[in-house]
Every structure is written in C-alpha cells, then in structure tokens.
Amino acid sequence: MPPSPIRPALPISSPCCPERMAADSQRAASGFGLGLRPAFYQDAAEGKVAVDWLELLSENFMVDGGNALQVLDAVASRYPLALHGVSMNLGGSEPLDTAYLDRLAALDERAGAVRISDHLCWTRHGGHYLHDLLPLPYTDEVVEHVARRIEVVQGRLGRRILIENVSSYAECAGGTMPEWEFLSAVASAANCHILLDLNNIVVSAHNHGFDALQYLHAVPADRVRQLHLAGHSEQGPLKIDTHDHAIATSVWTLYVQALRRFGPVATMIERDDHIPPLPELVQELDRARVIAQGACVA
Amino acid sequence: MNSSALRQWQTHFKTFLIEGSNEDALAAQISTAGMADARTRLQVYRNAYYMRLEEALAYYFPVLLAVLGEGEFGRHMAAYIRACPSTSPSVRDLGDHLCDWLERQGFPLWADLAALEWAALIAFDAADAPALSPAVLAALPAEQWPQLHFRCSPSLSFPAMNSNALSVWRAVRAGRHPPQLKAATSAAIVVWRYRGRVMAVSIDENERCLLDGLRTGESLETICDRLPCRSAADAEQIVATILQRAFRHEWLVAIDLR
C-alpha cells in the first residue's frame, strides 16, 4: 500500500515553553536514551521510562491514525524524540522517494524531533524496498553521489540529518578507501552529522579484519552527535548485528574510547529482539551513564 | 565506480537477494579479505532478507500462521516474498498483495483469512475520526433524511468471505482452539476500529448494501430504492434498524447536507 499524506486528527501536542525546550535540547544533546519499541509504548506514553530522550523508528509512525499516533503524541509531550529511519535509501541509484520524505517531514513536525537519522547504505532498487541496510562501494564517486542525495534530504527537511555507519558482512572489491574514510568523506561533502554505532564498528571490524580503534580515531569528532550501543551474535566466522543480546564487552570498551574522543554525546541502546523487562534495559543504560561520568571526568 | 556501475552493483545484489541465481557473479565482486569466503558473507544477507520478511508477515498475519503452522506458513510466505517484493518503505505494507496472491495460487480459504487480517491491520492504523452522534441526525427535520449522505469511519471495510474465516479469526485472537477453516456460504463482514480495538462482525445483505452505498456517497433514498426487500415501508424500517446499529458501533462519522 503506497504511503499517503498524514492526516492528523488528534490534537498535536501543545508547543513547549521556551525554558522546557532549552532543557529538552540539553537533555537530548548529551543524555541517555532508548529505542522506543512496542514492548514499552505504554510505559513511555505514561512517562515511566527513566531516560533523557527516546528514539523512534520513523517508519513505524508513518500511519494515518490509531494507536501509533496516540503513542507518538503522548511520548512527544513527555520526552525529547529522535527519529531514526531505515528506508531513506541514501545510497540508492534511483531517485529519492519524495513521498517518503514528505511523510518524514510531517512526522518531524508532529514529533518536534531533536534529531533525524538514517543509514549510510542503500535499501531500495528497481522500485522495490529490500528492508535491509545494504553495503555501498567505498569510492570517491559514491561519496559524491550519496552526499548530493543527503543535501536534497536536508533541503527537504530544512535541517541537517545524521548518517549512521552500518554493520556489514561483505564489501565491494571495487572500493578504494576504508569504511571510516568513506563515512567521514560523505559527512564532510554533505555537511551532515554522524550517528556512530559502536556495535556496528565492532561487528564490521571483526568481519573485515580492521582495527575498531583506528576507525574511531578517524571519524571527525565535531560531526558526531549521537552514539548507538547494542548487542550482537556470532554465526560461524562472522559477527551479526542482531540487537538481541546485552551489550558486548568489546562495545563497552570502545564506548570508553569514544567518550574520550568525542566528549559527552547523546547515547542510546538499541534492542530489537529478546527484549528484556524495561528495568533491565534501564539498568544497562545506567551502566552507560556511569561509564560516561568516569570517562568524561578522566 | 560511476553511477552506472553503482546501479549494476545494486541490480546484481538485489537479484541475488531475491532470486539467489547469480551468486557466482556477485561473489566475484566481493572482497575476500578477512576470515570468511564471499559466499558465506553473501548468504548472511540472503538468509536475513527472507527471515526478516517472513517474521514481518508472521507478525501481521498471526491467525494465518496459527492455521498453517510454522513450516507451511514459512514455505508459502517465502514464495510470496519472492513473487511480490515490497514496494513500500514500511514493512507493515508487505502483506498488501497476500490475499490476491493466495487466491491466484489456489488457496481461497487462506486468502479469506489474509483478507480479514489485512482489513484488521488497515483498520488499526486508519485515520482517526470522531464518531457521529445520533443527536446530530435527530436534530435534522425528518423530511431531509432521504437526501442525507453519511460518511463512514475511515477504518471501515467489508471483505467478502466465502469461508468461516471470521470464526477462526475470533478464536485465535481469543486464545481458543480455532475451528477448522472451511468453505461456507458467501457472506459479508464489516471490519472497523472501535475505541482503539479492531472489531469484525457478520452483516446481512441489507446491511452490506446500505453501508456500501453510504461509503460510495449515495443518499439514503437512493440506497432504499435498491435494498433487496419487498416494499418501501420495509426498506425504511430496515434502514432505521441498520442506522441504529451503525451509530452504536460508531461506523458513521459525519453527515453531508448537499
């Protein structure tokens, strides 16, 4: 079913007072969040999730009405929200989906998002969405291609977006640079921000045999606006980005290094499968708070 | 790599994901540095593609899954995913063609269930619209009523059933053991969202005729003229009864005075 424009029938959350907006902005810029999942929609709608901000999967809220938009309005009145998408298709070779961008802009208006992000990958080809984050060849031409598309998106949304590094299991042999150079070059050419997923760095470093720290130290610190933490699995010789485990030790170790390099950056945990009870996730997030306090003091 | 080469890379990759037919050619384009060969790496993507989409269909069609069982559901959904790749940025829309596809494959009973579950999903996310109060109608002079046009809830739909799919759907949703899915006399049902919950009930031919007329913008008078009943007096009585039910279930959201 092709998307149609959002026709909000529920009242949109009242505009915040300036003091509240400034406080929210500060919480969202360096605080700690969770990816909002249906398992705790209700708790979040009632303000019972002890986090500074929440990240929503954009596509889950691109609907005309019903429960999703009620949840959206409720959480938007209680938390700063970041919108995180999986279908922007920034690396695609066919035109951007303007209907998708229109819906994202409408969602942004309704949610009052503090950040909008999507992935440095391709997801659509030949008119078909593949619902996966697929690898791009790392070349100068592709840097330019993707950067021009990000500029179009930023023009449509009227703001800078964040691009996220993805986990990968295969790399195109025609690439001429390592992934970290590709990410940095795209962000620079498009003048956009970066959402650095530390679990994805650990997964890809293992799968492709590079040094995760080298990656971390090559990323332009002034562009990193958010960090993702997550768990992964192992399948034969490869690590797989499954988001179904607690955060691995190797990711926590990289997080310490990231905080030393980037300073206090908005950090959140992604959990998409085998989701534990909410207190357990919040406890894991508290570990990130403690690590951040220690690292930033040091 | 220019834009033409990028397009070619993506064409090859997509063909591999969906068809799996060009593995050797694509593997030749994959870097072999590291601890796994190109085929092992590519299979991660192909397996994930089918697993992810099958899981999505299982999530959105739980009653069909319960009736078919995991094995048979997985086999048929894999074939569907291959035949009807997604055209929407939201994976929620993946099942848009499932009913028609099952019908074409010769599974009309499963198609009925898929149509019902798809209607339920559409109702769940349909635009919000406050229900029409019967007081609005009561406040209008009775002589205007035949010319009134009503607007139905955006969540309302009428999938046609040729089976007992509704009984099966209700049983599975209630956590009961469902009756065997079997063919039945053709019947209409109405699916809609009532105060946040998706509901489905059987409707008779008069109700289907009236609701369908209202949805397509016909006046009450026009609808009365073609109701399958014996007299105008019968038709008026039937319409009055159905409207009471429509108000009770919040199927109506507005009156248009034209």
Side-chain angles (χ1 to χ4, degrees):
Chain A
M1 189 180 65
S4 55
I6 286 180
R7 297 188 295 279
L10 289 175
I12 294 172
S13 313
S14 302
C16 298
C17 66
E19 292 79 11
R20 156 90 197 273
M21 289 176 75
D24 280 357
S25 176
Q26 182 58 37
R27 283 165 70 197
S30 57
F32 296 82
L34 286 176
L36 180 65
R37 301 295 182 262
F40 47 95
Y41 275 2
Q42 190 62 38
D43 285 316
E46 294 172 7
K48 294 177 181 170
V49 185
V51 295
D52 298 313
W53 53 277
L54 290 166
E55 185 187 82
L56 275 59
L57 289 174
S58 309
E59 291 79 6
N60 286 358
F61 295 87
M62 291 181 179
V63 292
D64 293 330
N67 183 61
L69 294 189
Q70 287 181 23
V71 169
L72 173 67
D73 290 337
V75 296
S77 71
R78 295 178 183 279
Y79 299 93
L81 300 180
L83 295 177
H84 187 52
V86 293
S87 293
M88 200 178 276
N89 190 30
L90 289 171
S93 55
E94 56 192 37
L96 288 159
D97 183 343
T98 54
Y100 173 85
L101 294 179
D102 289 345
R103 294 204 80 153
L104 183 57
L107 183 60
D108 178 26
E109 190 175 337
R110 186 162 185 150
V114 292
R115 286 182 292 277
I116 298 180
S117 58
D118 207 300
H119 299 82
L120 184 53
C121 68
W122 62 284
T123 59
R124 176 179 189 252
H125 191 67
H128 294 134
Y129 282 89
L130 300 164
H131 302 292
D132 199 354
L133 309 172
L134 299 167
L136 286 164
Y138 303 142
T139 67
D140 290 328
E141 292 88 345
V142 177
V143 167
E144 280 307 305
H145 172 77
V146 177
R148 298 293 80 80
R149 290 165 71 91
I150 294 172
E151 286 173 348
V152 171
V153 170
Q154 294 184 144
R156 174 65 187 89
L157 298 177
R159 63 193 297 174
R160 279 199 243 182
I161 64 167
L162 289 74
I163 53 171
E164 180 185 347
N165 58 304
V166 299
S167 284
S168 69
Y169 315 100
E171 280 188 348
C172 178
T176 57
M177 65 183 84
E179 184 188 328
W180 52 89
E181 276 185 35
F182 182 73
L183 171 66
S184 304
V186 170
S188 172
N191 195 16
C192 67
H193 293 144
I194 292 174
L195 191 175
L196 201 59
D197 188 313
L198 302 181
N199 179 59
N200 288 348
I201 294 179
V202 167
V203 167
S204 293
H206 173 88
N207 292 343
H208 304 302
F210 62 73
D211 179 1
L213 264 183
Q214 185 182 1
Y215 191 125
L216 197 71
H217 286 289
V219 174
D222 59 336
R223 293 194 183 276
V224 177
R225 291 290 192 276
Q226 187 181 323
L227 302 175
H228 270 174
L229 304 173
H232 57 256
S233 302
E234 303 207 355
Q235 181 181 302
L238 298 172
K239 285 188 188 291
I240 311 290
D241 177 35
T242 47
H243 296 183
D244 62 350
H245 283 72
I247 296 163
T249 304
S250 50
V251 176
W252 285 124
T253 304
L254 196 62
Y255 183 46
V256 174
Q257 299 299 324
L259 290 165
R260 286 181 183 154
R261 173 153 165 69
F262 307 129
V265 180
T267 299
M268 64 153 272
I269 295 175
E270 286 184 302
R271 189 69 180 256
D272 291 300
D273 212 347
H274 300 139
I275 297 177
L278 190 55
E280 205 174 304
L281 267 184
V282 171
Q283 199 173 24
E284 197 174 28
L285 194 63
D286 286 341
R287 182 174 174 187
R289 288 181 199 271
V290 171
I291 290 172
Q293 278 174 351
C296 293
V297 168
Chain B
M1 174 175 280
N2 57 27
S3 59
S4 156
L6 178 64
R7 190 174 304 113
Q8 195 173 45
W9 161 258
Q10 294 177 346
T11 300
H12 287 165
F13 215 109
K14 176 188 164 187
T15 302
F16 169 73
L17 286 182
I18 298 176
E19 307 290 341
S21 55
N22 59 337
E23 186 176 21
D24 289 345
L26 184 61
Q29 299 178 62
I30 299 298
S31 168
T32 51
M35 57 195 61
D37 60 40
R39 283 180 182 76
T40 302
R41 294 174 179 280
L42 289 174
Q43 280 304 328
V44 172
Y45 286 100
R46 185 149 200 265
N47 293 341
Y49 176 71
Y50 277 92
M51 278 177 63
R52 183 176 297 116
L53 298 188
E54 283 175 38
E55 282 171 10
L57 290 169
Y59 181 80
Y60 291 115
F61 294 87
V63 181
L64 191 60
L65 169 63
V67 168
L68 268 64
E70 280 187 19
E72 193 152 22
F73 182 86
R75 277 192 299 281
H76 288 291
M77 294 308 107
Y80 170 70
I81 291 162
R82 184 175 173 137
C84 304
S86 170
T87 55
S88 166
S90 173
V91 74
R92 165 196 175 281
D93 300 332
L94 181 63
D96 192 4
H97 306 290
L98 184 57
C99 168
D100 291 343
W101 183 82
L102 286 169
E103 190 79 51
R104 288 200 305 274
Q105 300 305 305
F107 303 115
L109 300 179
W110 300 347
D112 262 17
L113 256 189
L116 177 49
E117 294 204 270
W118 180 251
L121 180 60
I122 295 298
F124 185 72
D125 288 333
D128 301 288
L132 178 67
S133 164
V136 176
L137 179 62
L140 295 171
E143 59 269 22
Q144 281 190 13
W145 289 17
Q147 278 72 50
L148 295 179
H149 301 257
F150 289 81
R151 253 183 285 154
C152 294
S153 162
S155 72
L156 203 69
S157 68
F158 320 102
M161 297 282 117
N162 295 294
S163 70
N164 64 339
L166 180 58
S167 301
V168 173
W169 183 79
R170 281 183 174 152
V172 172
R173 278 166 52 103
R176 298 193 309 267
H177 184 70
Q180 186 183 357
L181 182 63
K182 59 187 178 189
T185 309
S186 178
I189 62 171
V190 57
V191 180
W192 81 108
R193 189 175 73 231
Y194 178 78
R195 301 183 184 184
R197 286 198 63 196
V198 174
M199 315 284 280
V201 293
S202 300
I203 50 177
D204 65 24
E205 184 52 25
N206 285 319
E207 287 173 308
R208 192 204 60 75
C209 191
L210 182 130
L211 288 171
D212 210 30
L214 294 180
R215 202 173 51 156
T216 53
E218 291 180 345
S219 69
L220 284 183
E221 187 173 46
T222 307
I223 297 168
C224 278
D225 286 346
R226 56 181 188 76
L227 281 181
C229 54
R230 283 173 300 205
S231 69
D234 280 353
E236 284 176 18
Q237 182 57 45
I238 288 167
V239 167
T241 305
I242 298 172
L243 282 179
Q244 283 176 4
R245 191 181 189 198
F247 279 115
R248 197 167 62 248
H249 288 320
E250 301 187 351
W251 290 341
L252 306 174
V253 297
I255 294 176
D256 290 333
L257 293 168
R258 299 182 187 176

